[in-house]
Amino acid sequence: MRRHVGVVLQDNVLFSGSILDNLRLARPGASEAELIAAAEALGVHDIISRLPHGYHTEVGALGSHLSHGQRQLVCLVRAYLADPTILILDEATSAVDIQTERKIQHALRRLCEGRTAIIIAHRLATIRDADRIAVIREGQVVEQGAHNALMQQGGHYAELYHAYEAGQEF
């Protein structure tokens, strides 16, 4: 079952070693070129390449030598390499700045394509393209549907989305 489920959490953990070592955990037999190709496919290659030693950068205990956002990006690539049937993203872009998030939106769509993805997010751009969105307030599901349908309803989701868009325009 574990091989079929991939999880990227808000607070990710990396293991001591290089970025390549951490990526190789998802696909032990992969070549360095295959690991780098996965990062390229997700659009994060340039971010990793800018690190002091690129893919050979030592991440430190629990990833302590990387920023929170850099750790999340490595974990997204690791999930992509694992190619799970079910993918759970729990605030997986929360520590990624808006510019980086926009850069990897296409990659997240690609990562979720052809699999069941459960995405828990406050950043609405992360969930906009989901087949079904559930709005939860005070522990209760108050709305469900696709983005366009929820926008037409003009309820909680539409209010949240308009506020989110207004916050992006400054």
Side-chain angles (χ1 to χ4, degrees), residues 143-169:
E143 292 178 314
Q144 287 187 64
H147 171 79
N148 289 338
L150 291 172
M151 291 300 288
Q152 287 176 352
Q153 287 177 11
H156 295 295
Y157 179 82
E159 288 177 31
L160 289 168
Y161 198 83
H162 289 305
Y164 174 78
E165 282 185 319
Q168 300 302 308
E169 294 176 6

Side-chain angles (χ1 to χ4, degrees), residues 95-114:
V96 177
D97 61 65
I98 296 297
Q99 289 74 27
T100 304
E101 182 189 23
R102 286 182 182 143
K103 184 174 184 178
I104 65 172
Q105 283 304 314
H106 177 73
L108 287 175
R109 283 186 210 103
R110 183 172 179 191
L111 181 59
C112 294
E113 209 170 81

Side-chain angles (χ1 to χ4, degrees), residues 63-105:
S64 61
H65 296 162
L66 300 178
S67 71
H68 194 88
Q70 290 166 335
R71 286 194 305 269
Q72 282 184 309
L73 293 174
V74 172
C75 290
L76 283 171
V77 176
R78 198 165 57 191
Y80 180 77
L81 285 161
D83 194 24
T85 306
I86 300 170
L87 180 64
I88 300 170
L89 301 172
D90 185 1
E91 295 290 357
T93 61
S94 66
V96 177
D97 61 65
I98 296 297
Q99 289 74 27
T100 304
E101 182 189 23
R102 286 182 182 143
K103 184 174 184 178
I104 65 172
Q105 283 304 314

Side-chain angles (χ1 to χ4, degrees), residues 127-136 141-153 157:
I127 61 169
R128 180 186 168 145
D129 295 327
D131 295 327
R132 177 174 287 183
I133 299 167
V135 180
I136 300 171
V141 175
V142 295
E143 292 178 314
Q144 287 187 64
H147 171 79
N148 289 338
L150 291 172
M151 291 300 288
Q152 287 176 352
Q153 287 177 11
Y157 179 82

